[in-house]
Amino acid sequence: MKLLYFISSCLIILTILPFEVRSQDFVAKLCDKTSAKDVCNSILQSKKGSKESDLPMLTELVIKDAQSKVSGIQAKIMELNAASNTTKLHLGACEETLTDMGDHMEEAQTGLEEKSYEDIVIAMNDATSGMKSCEEGFKPVPELKDMGSAFDQTCSIAATFADVLSGKTKL
């Protein structure tokens, strides 16, 4: 009986361990393809279930992370606008741009669902361009500037994942 228990335990470990190593290798290889390897690894390590996920699921996690970053920027702008009329004047135009970026995230999500990976790349590039239009207004607020930079990196990661999904970039 002990031998049977030992053998079944070994089989379970030998079955699970290679999957765990494979999934870590897969995520590492995938993040190596991006221009923001550390950010990519940080995003995927912080998301529950990412180690067991396939590429479409990982892409969805990154898109959702970008959506979250847009929401965080919008919340910070609202906080700043409530605190100062001067800030409102400098950042007011960015609020509409950020709404557009939220729309781009939805377009990317739709592109993923429809396996139209070029749509993801276009949506992420459009969102990054939109963020660049807010950079001048973000300069006086270092926290916003950092949040915008993190958003840009996340969009770049999602676009790279879409390129891997489409076969444009080999893993």
Side-chain angles (χ1 to χ4, degrees):
M1 188 61 147
K2 288 182 182 182
L3 180 61
L4 181 59
Y5 176 75
F6 175 75
I7 292 172
S8 61
S9 296
C10 287
L11 287 174
I12 290 172
I13 290 171
L14 291 173
T15 303
I16 294 173
L17 187 61
F19 177 76
E20 182 68 24
V21 170
R22 258 194 329 267
S23 64
Q24 288 173 347
D25 288 345
F26 176 68
V27 169
K29 284 180 184 178
L30 189 57
C31 287
D32 282 346
K33 294 292 181 184
T34 70
S35 60
K37 294 174 192 163
D38 292 339
V39 174
C40 178
N41 281 307
S42 176
I43 290 169
L44 296 182
Q45 288 174 5
S46 69
K47 303 295 182 195
K48 186 175 183 167
S50 66
K51 289 181 181 174
E52 299 84 25
S53 298
D54 60 7
L55 183 53
M57 292 172 120
L58 293 173
T59 305
E60 182 176 9
L61 289 173
V62 174
I63 293 169
K64 286 182 178 181
D65 190 75
Q67 287 173 320
S68 175
K69 284 178 171 58
V70 169
S71 297
I73 292 168
Q74 288 171 319
K76 185 65 178 177
I77 289 174
M78 287 174 55
E79 177 187 318
L80 291 170
N81 283 343
S84 166
N85 286 335
T86 306
T87 304
K88 183 180 276 184
L89 294 173
H90 292 297
L91 298 177
C94 284
E95 291 179 83
E96 186 175 328
T97 301
L98 287 165
T99 300
D100 292 344
M101 284 185 239
D103 294 342
H104 294 313
M105 298 302 104
E106 290 176 21
E107 292 164 7
Q109 187 65 41
T110 301
L112 181 62
E113 290 165 6
E114 295 176 357
K115 297 183 181 183
S116 179
Y117 304 123
E118 186 61 27
D119 288 350
I120 299 169
V121 174
I122 292 168
M124 292 298 135
N125 289 338
D126 288 348
T128 300
S129 294
M131 185 59 71
K132 290 200 185 323
S133 72
C134 289
E135 285 178 355
E136 190 64 35
F138 287 179
K139 281 183 182 177
V141 186
E143 185 179 358
L144 277 177
K145 188 176 176 192
D146 293 345
M147 293 169 84
S149 176
F151 174 77
D152 283 346
Q153 290 174 323
T154 304
C155 288
S156 173
I157 293 164
T160 300
F161 285 15
D163 280 343
V164 173
L165 281 165
S166 71
K168 284 185 182 178
T169 301
K170 301 293 180 206
L171 196 55

